[in-house]
Amino acid sequence: MKKKGKIGKKKKISKLGSKLKNHTQRDIFFVLLVVALFFLGLNLLKVQGLLIPEQDTGYVHGNVVNLEEMPTEHKIAQMVIVAGLRENYYPWRNLQIGGIHLYALPTNHIYSNTIIDFQYGQRIPFFVTADHEGCVTPFIHTGNFTSVSEIDTIGKAYAKGFNDGSYLKKLGFNLNFAPVVDLEDEIWKCRAFPGDAQKIAELAQAYVLGLQTQGIIATIKHYPGKTLEVKDPHKFIVSAEIENDDVLPYDYLLDKGDVGAVMVSHVISSGAVDSEGVPAVVSRKILDEIKREYKGLIISDEIHMLGLKNFYGSLDAMYIGVFEAGNDIILNFDRDPYEVYRMIRVVAAAVEKGEISERQIDTSVTKVLIAKGFVVE
Amino acid sequence: MVPPKIWLAINISLGIVIMFLVLSLAGVTFPTVGQAKYLLDPDEPQFGVGGIEGLQPGGNLNRFCLEARMQGSCYKQAGDFDWVCGEKIRYWMNNKAYYYCIQQRFW
């Protein structure tokens, strides 16, 4: 009887123990669940860019920007053009980003609405950019455009520039990453003007004038040439031997000085334009040479194309490299707004440490703000 | 009634999830499914664009990926290429090229 009692007690104790264990485990589960949901929420906020602190734009007085009052982070942000994805509407506006690049959208109405939404109430408006290059255009769903390869007279080139500009202006764009002045487009066969280097230069000049008559800034690309050639797909760092003819259209257009911007590519160039073993876009030598004659905007090609990242090995080094080289505008189409914010802080820290000249940043942001119609004090 | 062992397994799993969430919040990036698929795929990347002179080789894969991304939407399809981006303008690629593209920060 006593034995039975003892066994019964033991059973009861072990049942109670297991019940307690279950209770404890269940309690731990609920605590962990709450913690997991908390961190999940924080991650979601981060992805949406909602953890980025609210930015103050007190340095903008009407159409006057006081550069001394403008924080370094905002100066850097103004030098960046990002992908204008609607999901990043809040962080891009909050960060005072310089511009948004729009991808293909189904209708003109959606283009206009997207642009209005982004620009509404923004104290320094965005550059709104597109790749309206000719045959390959994000507007193929919404309009018919002549291929650049079919443009063979100055008159046609001017008219095309004028029509493209008028179309872009109606939608709310103000900066076009065109015309291509590389001598050949081996991929699409229709983005480069026909003829020899001199003819291409003259046609491009006429296109630029037509486009800019409509208030759309033109961008000649991709300096120093040979970027639309078919390469070995396994080579992620691209190099090219640049001949005098390749660079002739750029020299011609930059010398004339009418074109608002020039885009520099990631190609490692040798020959007529020598980037000395580094991608052209981060070659201080090349950018200084351009700046000597030309006062317009210098725009980097998109920095996440791996040719550039592989060259540096780390994102931070690449971020500092493209700013340090002297580009006025950096294309960074990263989807993650927090990473773009991090880039801005990394570059701002480099400016504080003196790795990047503050004067150079001031010069670039002044160019950007003047191009947007501001007076800079 | 859930046995204690199951509770323990659930709690350990939740703990691991929390650890990943904290690391992700701190900016640590993890290999993605796209990266794994790209590494495991033995094929060569193949890609091309439907230009005015028919299908053309796509040039440099990095630029190709960016341009394909700009077309808005990509979808899987049957045929010589596994994926196509764009409706009127076509960017074609096989799985290897697609998995390379989706690893890019702009994708």
Side-chain angles (χ1 to χ4, degrees):
Chain A
M1 280 288 277
K2 269 187 180 178
K3 252 190 181 177
K4 267 189 180 176
K6 266 187 183 175
I7 291 166
K9 256 187 186 177
K10 267 186 184 173
K11 267 187 180 173
K12 266 185 187 173
I13 289 166
S14 90
K15 257 191 179 178
L16 197 67
S18 114
K19 243 188 185 179
L20 271 175
K21 254 190 188 173
N22 257 1
H23 275 292
T24 320
Q25 291 284 9
R26 206 180 57 189
D27 291 347
I28 291 171
F29 167 76
F30 282 118
V31 171
L32 287 175
L33 188 66
V34 169
V35 173
L37 287 173
F38 173 73
F39 281 109
L40 182 68
L42 279 182
N43 271 283
L44 287 175
L45 288 176
K46 187 185 170 198
V47 167
Q48 307 264 318
L50 297 174
L51 293 185
I52 299 167
E54 196 76 32
Q55 307 291 311
D56 177 30
T57 53
Y59 50 85
V60 187
H61 311 284
N63 75 329
V64 178
V65 174
N66 188 320
L67 216 55
E68 268 185 30
E69 290 174 13
M70 190 176 188
T72 309
E73 290 189 1
H74 286 202
K75 290 177 187 173
I76 292 157
Q78 275 299 316
M79 293 169 64
V80 180
I81 291 179
V82 296
L85 305 170
R86 268 193 176 266
E87 68 217 42
N88 291 336
Y89 163 82
Y90 171 77
W92 296 155
R93 280 170 56 89
N94 179 35
L95 279 170
Q96 305 306 310
I97 290 290
I100 50 168
H101 184 78
L102 296 190
Y103 296 167
L105 293 173
T107 65
N108 284 347
H109 186 66
I110 296 175
Y111 272 115
S112 297
N113 277 357
T114 304
I115 293 170
I116 289 166
D117 286 347
F118 269 103
Q119 297 286 37
Y120 183 76
Q122 196 71 351
R123 297 192 77 181
I124 303 177
F126 291 101
F127 276 135
V128 185
T129 71
D131 277 314
H132 194 9
E133 300 168 321
C135 60
V136 186
T137 157
F139 309 104
I140 200 156
H141 308 293
T142 54
N144 286 318
F145 301 96
T146 325
S147 290
V148 172
S149 56
E150 293 167 26
I151 302 295
D152 53 3
T153 66
I154 300 287
K156 281 185 194 171
Y158 183 86
K160 176 160 178 58
F162 188 91
N163 291 334
D164 286 358
S166 163
Y167 184 83
L168 290 170
K169 189 181 178 183
K170 264 187 223 158
L171 296 179
F173 288 88
N174 47 34
L175 175 55
N176 188 19
F177 294 146
V180 170
V181 293
D182 287 2
L183 300 187
E184 268 195 84
D185 171 11
E186 288 183 8
I187 302 166
W188 284 101
K189 314 275 186 190
C190 54
R191 280 183 283 195
F193 288 103
D196 61 15
Q198 184 60 34
K199 177 96 185 277
I200 288 172
E202 287 164 7
L203 292 173
Q205 171 71 1
Y207 178 87
V208 164
L209 293 178
L211 189 77
Q212 293 191 160
T213 303
Q214 295 298 305
I216 306 294
I217 299 171
T219 310
I220 52 170
K221 66 182 187 183
H222 314 78
Y223 190 87
K226 283 195 173 154
T227 42
L228 300 179
E229 294 186 358
V230 176
K231 305 278 182 198
D232 178 353
H234 303 104
K235 274 190 181 174
F236 295 126
I237 295 176
V238 183
S239 56
E241 173 79 16
I242 302 295
E243 290 158 35
N244 286 333
D245 268 1
D246 289 312
V247 83
L248 186 146
Y250 294 98
D251 287 344
Y252 179 90
L253 288 148
L254 295 176
D255 194 42
K256 289 256 178 203
D258 295 314
V259 66
V262 55
M263 185 180 288
V264 183
S265 81
H266 300 336
V267 75
I268 299 175
S269 62
S270 55
V273 178
D274 188 356
S275 65
E276 296 179 331
V278 302
V281 72
V282 291
S283 163
R284 201 174 176 95
K285 176 184 163 263
I286 285 187
L287 297 194
D288 281 349
E289 277 169 14
I290 297 174
K291 283 178 185 174
R292 213 169 293 142
E293 303 294 333
Y294 175 67
K295 302 299 168 211
L297 295 164
I298 299 176
I299 303 178
S300 82
D301 210 340
E302 207 288 327
I303 60 171
H304 286 293
M305 285 196 277
L306 271 185
L308 191 59
K309 198 176 104 187
N310 281 354
F311 184 79
Y312 277 102
S314 89
L315 280 176
D316 289 9
M318 178 182 78
Y319 294 152
I320 293 170
V322 283
F323 278 87
E324 197 272 333
N327 291 285
D328 299 313
I329 292 177
I330 315 296
L331 301 193
N332 180 351
F333 295 166
D334 198 321
R335 290 179 69 96
D336 178 0
Y338 206 82
E339 180 58 27
V340 173
Y341 176 53
R342 205 181 68 74
M343 174 191 80
I344 291 168
R345 285 188 304 161
V346 164
V347 176
V351 173
E352 296 255 309
K353 281 188 228 159
E355 290 172 33
I356 300 172
S357 145
E358 191 168 359
R359 202 166 154 198
Q360 178 190 309
I361 297 290
D362 282 352
T363 307
S364 292
V365 77
T366 301
K367 278 198 217 173
V368 167
L369 291 169
I370 289 173
K372 287 182 176 182
F374 282 88
V375 174
V376 181
E377 282 183 344
Chain B
M1 181 117 163
V2 184
K5 276 185 183 170
I6 301 287
W7 276 121
L8 189 67
I10 292 171
N11 287 339
I12 289 171
S13 310
L14 261 178
I16 292 168
V17 169
I18 290 169
M19 190 184 74
F20 278 111
L21 287 171
V22 171
L23 288 174
S24 160
L25 204 59
V28 176
T29 47
F30 304 102
T32 59
V33 178
Q35 275 169 305
K37 282 183 170 174
Y38 175 75
L39 288 172
L40 295 173
D41 192 334
D43 288 348
E44 291 295 312
Q46 287 175 354
F47 52 100
V49 291
I52 56 170
E53 290 180 14
L55 188 70
Q56 301 291 329
N60 176 268
L61 183 53
N62 290 306
R63 188 172 290 284
F64 175 88
C65 290
L66 181 60
E67 289 190 2
R69 173 68 188 92
M70 286 184 185
Q71 303 315 310
S73 57
C74 300
Y75 48 92
K76 208 164 171 47
Q77 53 113 48
D80 291 343
F81 290 91
D82 304 298
W83 294 87
V84 61
C85 299
E87 284 168 27
K88 285 189 181 174
I89 306 172
R90 299 291 179 113
Y91 284 75
W92 308 88
M93 55 195 131
N94 69 352
N95 280 327
K96 182 81 170 179
Y98 178 75
Y99 293 133
Y100 176 81
C101 287
I102 62 171
Q103 294 172 45
Q104 308 311 312
R105 296 200 67 88
F106 49 72
W107 197 273

